[in-house]
């Protein structure tokens, strides 16, 4: 697909890939406590119960698996859980602040890497592993005993001198995040006591996020503009915040920083984001399928070859929202563009 990624709004789930400035921007806007975390109501209710119960037992919260498309707030929620567990917890008369460590599946390539992360933890710490479905089999297997019994066996030495050493670990909580629950091996999945799926947000919740972010960034935005932006943000907080950032920049240059609906409209037009929040890349993906296959199904590998994208990029970044709005269907024989999408594209 000859597509220029003009819109960085889609972003990546891998924080390691993010430029510093973007990362800083996101961190400024991350809710710290559950009460600030907008939307995901049933998840929050269940999580609050689990947090309260764990605190009452004076134990770390069970391991948590979060799954859902990129940008819906998995990393943020992991940090929130760590903060909630830390709040009002006193140990040896001191206010405790459990550590929150962030790692990513592809970043932990060998069991030794995992061992050094795990042994650096303390009781009650939270370890967040993003893209946990990308851990190697060996590392994943090492994780089993760590999660279940708080021990790991590591091999030391080489050749005939090799021996296995058992290390005991602190009682930590693992929070794993994945865009695809199906990609996780069953034995790993079964070791999470709490499994939550993050849903796309409603437009009113996205609007709340935009309003909250505008407050934090000290922006002037009209209610109408916030409503308009929330309808173009693909029901995703990360995209909402990034659109806000792009519109802010445009407003600073063209309207003394004031974001009204006309300014928002103009900047989205420049970004070529349509009224459903689709960008050039989305539309191009749909058109490619229509041009080559019409309404017949196309397999993911063929599609990736046609567009020049990785199959996983299509699966993680494009498909979920296109399926959510009924533009794309996944059938046993491949992906099919719906009549609705055809109508939208004209
Ligand atoms: P993920 O880990 O699922 O890719 P993140 O947790 O990094 O997503 O969230 C992306 C951004 O969206 C964060 O910077 C955060 O400010 C914002 N965000 C996510 N979820 C919420 C929420 N429920 N309420 C407010 N802001 C949110």
């Amino acid at each position: 697909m000859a597509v220029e990624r003009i819109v960085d709004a889609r972003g990546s789930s891998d924080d390691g890939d993010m430029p510093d400035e973007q990362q800083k921007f996101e961190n400024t806007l991350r809710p710290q406590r559950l009460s600030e975390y907008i939307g995901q109501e049933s998840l929050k209710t269940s999580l609050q119960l689990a947090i309260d119960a764990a605190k009452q037992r004076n134990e770390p919260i069970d391991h948590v698996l979060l799954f859902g498309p990129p940008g819906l707030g998995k990393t943020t929620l992991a940090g929130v859980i760590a903060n909630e567990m830390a709040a009002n917890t006193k140990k040896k008369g001191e206010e405790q602040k459990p550590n929150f460590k962030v790692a990513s599946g592809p970043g932990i390539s060998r069991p030794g890497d995992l061992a050094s992360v795990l042994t650096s933890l303390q009781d009650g710490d939270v370890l967040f592993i993003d893209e946990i479905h990308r851990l190697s089999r060996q590392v994943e297997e090492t994780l089993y005993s760590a999660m279940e019994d708080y021990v790991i066996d590591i091999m030391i030495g080489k050749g005939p001198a090799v021996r296995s050493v058992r290390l005991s670990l602190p009682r930590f909580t693992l929070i794993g995040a994945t865009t695809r629950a199906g990609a996780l091996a069953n034995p790993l999945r079964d070791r999470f006591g709490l499994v939550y799926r993050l849903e796309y947000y409603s437009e009113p919740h996205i609007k709340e996020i935009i309003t909250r972010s505008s407050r934090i960034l000290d922006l002037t935005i009209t209610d109408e503009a916030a409503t308009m932006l929330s309808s173009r943000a693909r029901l995703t907080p990360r995209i909402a915040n990034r659109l806000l950032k792009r519109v802010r920049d445009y407003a600073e240059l063209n309207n003394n920083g004031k974001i009204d609906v006309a300014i928002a409209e103009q900047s989205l037009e420049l970004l070529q984001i349509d009224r459903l929040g689709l960008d050039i890349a989305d539309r191009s993906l749909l058109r490619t399928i229509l041009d080559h296959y019409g309404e017949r199904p196309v397999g993911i590998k063929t599609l990736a070859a046609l567009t020049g994208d990785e199959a996983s990029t299509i699966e993680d970044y494009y498909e979920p929202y296109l399926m959510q709005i009924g533009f794309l269907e996944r059938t046993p024989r491949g992906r099919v563009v719906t009549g609705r999408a055809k109508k939208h594209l004209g």
Side-chain angles (χ1 to χ4, degrees):
M1 175 165 34
V3 173
E4 220 192 311
R5 290 281 145 64
I6 47 154
V7 187
D8 64 353
R10 194 185 299 276
S12 146
S13 69
D14 183 352
D15 288 357
D17 286 349
M18 266 191 215
D20 278 357
E21 195 233 311
Q22 240 163 55
Q23 185 72 62
K24 241 188 246 159
F25 174 76
E26 284 210 342
N27 288 343
T28 321
L29 300 177
R30 269 186 218 288
Q32 299 297 317
R33 299 297 297 268
L34 210 50
S35 55
E36 297 168 61
Y37 194 89
I38 295 163
Q40 310 288 348
E41 301 300 338
S42 63
L43 185 164
K44 279 193 298 192
T45 308
S46 153
L47 189 58
Q48 184 73 64
L49 275 174
I51 289 170
D52 292 345
K55 284 175 107 172
Q56 204 159 29
R57 289 194 309 265
N58 212 4
E59 279 179 8
I61 186 169
D62 225 330
H63 304 302
V64 184
L65 179 66
L66 303 173
F67 69 96
L72 291 196
K74 299 181 289 299
T75 311
T76 307
L77 191 58
V80 164
I81 295 172
N83 289 337
E84 291 293 339
M85 288 306 296
N88 310 322
T89 317
K90 287 201 172 172
K91 217 193 243 174
K92 293 182 197 141
E94 269 179 46
E95 193 78 24
Q96 281 288 303
K97 179 129 183 70
N99 280 314
F100 176 54
K101 290 214 168 167
V102 179
S104 86
I108 308 175
S109 51
R110 291 168 303 135
D113 300 336
L114 180 67
S116 67
V117 174
L118 291 174
T119 50
S120 71
L121 298 174
Q122 293 177 6
D123 266 353
D125 282 357
V126 172
L127 171 64
F128 175 66
I129 304 185
D130 201 6
E131 296 194 87
I132 196 162
H133 62 279
R134 290 177 64 191
L135 284 176
S136 70
R137 173 58 64 85
Q138 252 189 326
V139 172
E140 194 182 301
E141 281 171 4
T142 313
L143 202 51
Y144 296 162
S145 64
M147 291 174 77
E148 217 158 21
D149 304 317
Y150 303 101
V151 293
I152 41 170
D153 295 311
I154 53 166
M155 306 304 272
I156 290 186
K158 275 194 179 134
V162 70
R163 63 200 167 91
S164 160
V165 176
R166 172 157 287 198
L167 298 176
S168 45
L169 300 171
R171 288 180 62 84
F172 69 102
T173 295
L174 175 69
I175 304 184
T178 175
T179 44
R180 285 182 255 162
L184 222 59
N186 283 340
L188 179 57
R189 200 191 153 111
D190 292 347
R191 281 172 170 83
F192 287 96
L194 300 164
V195 178
Y196 296 116
R197 177 201 170 93
L198 278 89
E199 306 286 349
Y200 279 106
Y201 290 66
S202 67
E203 273 184 33
H205 281 146
I206 291 290
K207 185 176 170 187
E208 254 185 78
I209 291 174
I210 290 175
T211 310
R212 173 181 177 273
S213 302
S214 305
R215 213 172 35 238
I216 295 172
L217 299 170
D218 209 11
L219 306 180
T220 316
I221 179 167
T222 65
D223 186 68
E224 212 187 341
T227 305
M228 198 273 249
L229 284 183
S230 65
S231 66
R232 311 272 185 109
R234 308 165 65 101
L235 311 175
T236 305
R238 173 175 293 136
I239 296 183
N241 284 338
R242 296 211 183 155
L243 285 184
L244 182 66
K245 186 172 179 232
R246 301 298 288 264
V247 174
R248 173 199 67 183
D249 295 347
Y250 186 81
E252 272 169 6
L253 291 175
N254 298 288
N255 204 28
N256 292 324
K258 186 169 184 293
I259 304 172
D260 56 27
V261 83
I263 282 289
E265 194 89 61
Q266 284 164 27
S267 41
L268 293 185
E269 203 166 302
L270 273 177
L271 294 168
Q272 305 194 47
I273 292 174
D274 69 22
R275 81 192 151 72
L276 289 180
L278 304 188
D279 61 23
I280 312 180
D282 297 303
R283 291 189 296 268
S284 172
L285 176 80
L286 294 170
R287 286 217 171 90
T288 304
I289 303 180
L290 282 172
D291 287 350
H292 290 82
Y293 287 84
E295 283 170 55
R296 283 175 296 130
V298 51
I300 184 75
K301 285 194 184 132
T302 314
L303 186 55
L306 273 176
T307 62
D309 281 303
E310 298 273 337
S312 60
T313 308
I314 298 179
E315 286 180 306
D316 289 348
Y317 291 101
Y318 296 92
E319 275 189 355
Y321 182 69
L322 292 174
M323 290 199 298
Q324 169 81 14
I325 59 172
F327 275 22
L328 201 63
E329 275 168 11
R330 209 186 262 178
T331 72
R333 288 168 51 232
R335 275 68 178 164
V336 183
V337 174
T338 64
R340 217 163 145 186
K342 237 173 123 175
K343 204 166 146 206
H344 178 74
L345 294 174

